[in-house]
Short mmCIF file of all heavy atoms in Angstrom, two decimals:
data_model
loop_
_atom_site.label_atom_id
_atom_site.label_comp_id
_atom_site.label_asym_id
_atom_site.label_seq_id
_atom_site.Cartn_x
_atom_site.Cartn_y
_atom_site.Cartn_z
N PRO A 77 -3.89 -28.21 -17.50
CA PRO A 77 -4.37 -29.52 -17.90
C PRO A 77 -4.75 -30.35 -16.67
O PRO A 77 -5.79 -31.09 -16.70
CB PRO A 77 -3.28 -30.24 -18.72
CG PRO A 77 -2.50 -28.97 -19.28
CD PRO A 77 -2.60 -27.95 -18.13
N LEU A 78 -3.91 -30.39 -15.62
CA LEU A 78 -4.14 -31.13 -14.38
C LEU A 78 -5.35 -30.60 -13.65
O LEU A 78 -6.15 -31.30 -13.07
CB LEU A 78 -2.94 -31.14 -13.45
CG LEU A 78 -1.66 -31.77 -14.02
CD1 LEU A 78 -0.60 -31.76 -13.03
CD2 LEU A 78 -1.98 -33.24 -14.42
N ILE A 79 -5.46 -29.29 -13.57
CA ILE A 79 -6.60 -28.61 -12.94
C ILE A 79 -7.88 -28.93 -13.66
O ILE A 79 -8.89 -29.25 -12.99
CB ILE A 79 -6.41 -27.07 -12.86
CG1 ILE A 79 -5.23 -26.69 -11.92
CG2 ILE A 79 -7.72 -26.37 -12.42
CD1 ILE A 79 -4.92 -25.28 -11.85
N GLU A 80 -7.86 -28.96 -14.95
CA GLU A 80 -9.04 -29.32 -15.82
C GLU A 80 -9.47 -30.78 -15.53
O GLU A 80 -10.70 -31.13 -15.48
CB GLU A 80 -8.80 -29.07 -17.19
CG GLU A 80 -8.82 -27.61 -17.61
CD GLU A 80 -10.10 -26.93 -17.21
OE1 GLU A 80 -11.28 -27.37 -17.66
OE2 GLU A 80 -10.12 -25.93 -16.39
N ARG A 81 -8.55 -31.67 -15.27
CA ARG A 81 -8.88 -33.02 -14.99
C ARG A 81 -9.64 -33.15 -13.65
O ARG A 81 -10.68 -33.86 -13.59
CB ARG A 81 -7.60 -33.92 -14.94
CG ARG A 81 -7.01 -34.18 -16.23
CD ARG A 81 -5.61 -34.84 -16.22
NE ARG A 81 -5.54 -36.09 -15.29
CZ ARG A 81 -4.47 -36.76 -15.10
NH1 ARG A 81 -3.26 -36.24 -15.70
NH2 ARG A 81 -4.42 -37.74 -14.35
N THR A 82 -9.26 -32.34 -12.69
CA THR A 82 -9.84 -32.36 -11.41
C THR A 82 -11.27 -31.66 -11.55
O THR A 82 -12.26 -32.10 -10.91
CB THR A 82 -8.98 -31.68 -10.36
OG1 THR A 82 -7.71 -32.24 -10.32
CG2 THR A 82 -9.74 -31.59 -9.00
N ARG A 83 -11.37 -30.57 -12.27
CA ARG A 83 -12.66 -29.89 -12.50
C ARG A 83 -13.62 -30.79 -13.11
O ARG A 83 -14.86 -30.69 -12.98
CB ARG A 83 -12.48 -28.67 -13.26
CG ARG A 83 -11.79 -27.56 -12.58
CD ARG A 83 -11.91 -26.21 -13.35
NE ARG A 83 -13.29 -25.79 -13.41
CZ ARG A 83 -13.81 -25.21 -14.47
NH1 ARG A 83 -13.17 -24.92 -15.57
NH2 ARG A 83 -15.16 -24.80 -14.41
N LYS A 84 -13.13 -31.79 -13.90
CA LYS A 84 -14.10 -32.74 -14.56
C LYS A 84 -14.43 -33.96 -13.70
O LYS A 84 -15.04 -34.81 -14.19
CB LYS A 84 -13.43 -33.15 -15.92
CG LYS A 84 -13.47 -32.07 -16.86
CD LYS A 84 -12.78 -32.49 -18.19
CE LYS A 84 -12.67 -31.32 -19.22
NZ LYS A 84 -11.92 -31.70 -20.36
N GLY A 85 -13.85 -33.92 -12.41
CA GLY A 85 -14.31 -34.99 -11.49
C GLY A 85 -13.15 -35.90 -11.09
O GLY A 85 -13.38 -36.72 -10.17
N GLU A 86 -12.01 -35.85 -11.79
CA GLU A 86 -10.87 -36.84 -11.35
C GLU A 86 -10.28 -36.32 -10.10
O GLU A 86 -10.12 -35.13 -9.98
CB GLU A 86 -9.92 -36.92 -12.54
CG GLU A 86 -8.94 -37.87 -12.19
CD GLU A 86 -7.91 -38.03 -13.34
OE1 GLU A 86 -8.13 -37.43 -14.51
OE2 GLU A 86 -6.70 -38.65 -13.18
N GLN A 87 -9.91 -37.18 -9.15
CA GLN A 87 -9.32 -36.75 -7.97
C GLN A 87 -7.94 -37.33 -7.80
O GLN A 87 -7.51 -38.23 -8.63
CB GLN A 87 -10.23 -37.09 -6.78
CG GLN A 87 -11.54 -36.26 -6.68
CD GLN A 87 -11.39 -34.70 -6.51
OE1 GLN A 87 -10.31 -34.31 -6.24
NE2 GLN A 87 -12.44 -34.04 -6.88
N ASN A 88 -7.28 -37.00 -6.75
CA ASN A 88 -5.91 -37.52 -6.40
C ASN A 88 -4.94 -37.20 -7.57
O ASN A 88 -4.04 -37.98 -7.82
CB ASN A 88 -5.97 -39.01 -6.13
CG ASN A 88 -4.94 -39.46 -5.14
OD1 ASN A 88 -4.63 -38.80 -4.13
ND2 ASN A 88 -4.28 -40.65 -5.44
N VAL A 89 -5.09 -36.05 -8.16
CA VAL A 89 -4.18 -35.68 -9.35
C VAL A 89 -3.05 -34.93 -8.76
O VAL A 89 -1.95 -35.29 -8.92
CB VAL A 89 -4.97 -34.77 -10.29
CG1 VAL A 89 -4.08 -34.34 -11.44
CG2 VAL A 89 -6.17 -35.50 -10.87
N PHE A 90 -3.23 -33.83 -8.09
CA PHE A 90 -2.16 -33.03 -7.49
C PHE A 90 -2.27 -32.93 -5.95
O PHE A 90 -1.46 -32.25 -5.37
CB PHE A 90 -2.06 -31.61 -8.15
CG PHE A 90 -3.31 -31.01 -8.34
CD1 PHE A 90 -3.99 -30.35 -7.28
CD2 PHE A 90 -3.98 -30.99 -9.59
CE1 PHE A 90 -5.17 -29.60 -7.51
CE2 PHE A 90 -5.21 -30.33 -9.77
CZ PHE A 90 -5.76 -29.72 -8.69
N TRP A 91 -3.38 -33.27 -5.41
CA TRP A 91 -3.54 -33.24 -3.96
C TRP A 91 -4.31 -34.47 -3.47
O TRP A 91 -5.22 -34.90 -4.19
CB TRP A 91 -4.31 -31.95 -3.62
CG TRP A 91 -4.43 -31.67 -2.13
CD1 TRP A 91 -5.55 -31.58 -1.35
CD2 TRP A 91 -3.31 -31.44 -1.19
NE1 TRP A 91 -5.22 -31.27 0.01
CE2 TRP A 91 -3.90 -31.28 0.13
CE3 TRP A 91 -1.84 -31.46 -1.26
CZ2 TRP A 91 -3.12 -31.01 1.18
CZ3 TRP A 91 -1.17 -31.23 -0.26
CH2 TRP A 91 -1.79 -31.00 1.08
N GLU A 93 -6.45 -35.01 -1.08
CA GLU A 93 -7.81 -34.82 -0.60
C GLU A 93 -8.66 -34.35 -1.71
O GLU A 93 -8.16 -33.62 -2.53
CB GLU A 93 -7.84 -33.76 0.45
CG GLU A 93 -9.22 -33.34 1.00
CD GLU A 93 -9.21 -31.97 1.69
OE1 GLU A 93 -8.38 -31.07 1.31
OE2 GLU A 93 -10.00 -31.81 2.59
N PRO A 94 -9.93 -34.94 -1.87
CA PRO A 94 -10.81 -34.41 -2.85
C PRO A 94 -11.06 -32.94 -2.93
O PRO A 94 -11.15 -32.32 -1.85
CB PRO A 94 -12.15 -35.23 -2.58
CG PRO A 94 -11.77 -36.34 -1.74
CD PRO A 94 -10.50 -35.92 -1.02
N ILE A 95 -10.90 -32.27 -4.07
CA ILE A 95 -10.92 -30.83 -4.28
C ILE A 95 -12.26 -30.54 -5.01
O ILE A 95 -12.43 -31.02 -6.13
CB ILE A 95 -9.84 -30.22 -4.95
CG1 ILE A 95 -8.59 -30.33 -4.05
CG2 ILE A 95 -10.03 -28.79 -5.32
CD1 ILE A 95 -7.33 -29.79 -4.65
N LYS A 96 -13.20 -29.88 -4.37
CA LYS A 96 -14.41 -29.53 -5.08
C LYS A 96 -14.65 -28.01 -5.24
O LYS A 96 -15.58 -27.51 -6.00
CB LYS A 96 -15.65 -30.02 -4.38
CG LYS A 96 -15.84 -29.48 -3.02
CD LYS A 96 -17.12 -30.00 -2.40
CE LYS A 96 -17.47 -29.44 -1.02
NZ LYS A 96 -18.79 -29.87 -0.49
N TRP A 97 -13.68 -27.20 -4.75
CA TRP A 97 -13.82 -25.70 -4.81
C TRP A 97 -12.77 -25.16 -5.72
O TRP A 97 -11.49 -25.59 -5.66
CB TRP A 97 -13.68 -25.01 -3.45
CG TRP A 97 -14.66 -25.59 -2.38
CD1 TRP A 97 -14.25 -26.48 -1.50
CD2 TRP A 97 -15.94 -25.32 -2.23
NE1 TRP A 97 -15.37 -26.73 -0.69
CE2 TRP A 97 -16.41 -26.06 -1.12
CE3 TRP A 97 -16.88 -24.59 -2.99
CZ2 TRP A 97 -17.75 -26.09 -0.71
CZ3 TRP A 97 -18.21 -24.40 -2.55
CH2 TRP A 97 -18.59 -25.19 -1.42
N PHE A 98 -13.05 -24.29 -6.57
CA PHE A 98 -12.09 -23.46 -7.54
C PHE A 98 -12.37 -22.05 -7.44
O PHE A 98 -13.55 -21.64 -7.85
CB PHE A 98 -12.25 -24.08 -9.00
CG PHE A 98 -11.73 -25.56 -9.06
CD1 PHE A 98 -12.61 -26.59 -8.82
CD2 PHE A 98 -10.42 -25.86 -9.32
CE1 PHE A 98 -12.25 -27.90 -8.87
CE2 PHE A 98 -10.05 -27.16 -9.45
CZ PHE A 98 -10.88 -28.20 -9.20
N ASP A 160 -20.31 -27.47 -11.55
CA ASP A 160 -19.91 -28.11 -12.86
C ASP A 160 -19.24 -29.39 -12.53
O ASP A 160 -18.12 -29.38 -11.91
CB ASP A 160 -19.03 -27.15 -13.64
CG ASP A 160 -18.80 -27.71 -15.00
OD1 ASP A 160 -19.41 -28.49 -15.53
OD2 ASP A 160 -17.63 -27.25 -15.55
N ASN A 161 -19.77 -30.57 -12.96
CA ASN A 161 -19.17 -31.86 -12.63
C ASN A 161 -18.89 -32.13 -11.19
O ASN A 161 -17.93 -32.68 -10.76
CB ASN A 161 -17.86 -32.01 -13.44
CG ASN A 161 -17.95 -31.91 -14.99
OD1 ASN A 161 -18.82 -32.55 -15.57
ND2 ASN A 161 -17.24 -31.05 -15.64
N ASN A 162 -19.96 -31.74 -10.37
CA ASN A 162 -19.85 -31.90 -8.90
C ASN A 162 -18.67 -31.17 -8.25
O ASN A 162 -18.22 -31.44 -7.12
CB ASN A 162 -19.66 -33.44 -8.53
CG ASN A 162 -21.02 -34.14 -8.87
OD1 ASN A 162 -22.05 -33.74 -8.68
ND2 ASN A 162 -20.80 -35.30 -9.50
N THR A 163 -18.15 -30.06 -8.99
CA THR A 163 -17.26 -29.12 -8.49
C THR A 163 -17.89 -27.75 -8.43
O THR A 163 -18.80 -27.52 -9.26
CB THR A 163 -15.82 -29.16 -9.18
OG1 THR A 163 -16.07 -28.72 -10.61
CG2 THR A 163 -15.30 -30.62 -9.17
N PHE A 164 -17.34 -26.79 -7.62
CA PHE A 164 -17.98 -25.53 -7.61
C PHE A 164 -16.83 -24.45 -7.96
O PHE A 164 -15.71 -24.59 -7.38
CB PHE A 164 -18.56 -25.28 -6.22
CG PHE A 164 -19.58 -26.19 -5.87
CD1 PHE A 164 -19.29 -27.43 -5.30
CD2 PHE A 164 -21.05 -25.91 -6.10
CE1 PHE A 164 -20.37 -28.32 -5.05
CE2 PHE A 164 -22.06 -26.78 -5.72
CZ PHE A 164 -21.62 -28.06 -5.26
#
Side-chain angles (χ1 to χ4, degrees):
L78 298 181
I79 290 173
E80 285 304 301
R81 282 169 57 178
T82 302
R83 287 192 66 216
K84 291 175 181 177
E86 185 179 351
Q87 295 295 345
N88 211 40
V89 178
F90 44 79
W91 187 243
E93 176 199 33
I95 291 180
K96 65 175 182 176
W97 307 102
F98 293 86
D160 186 24
N161 298 309
N162 293 317
T163 63
F164 299 85

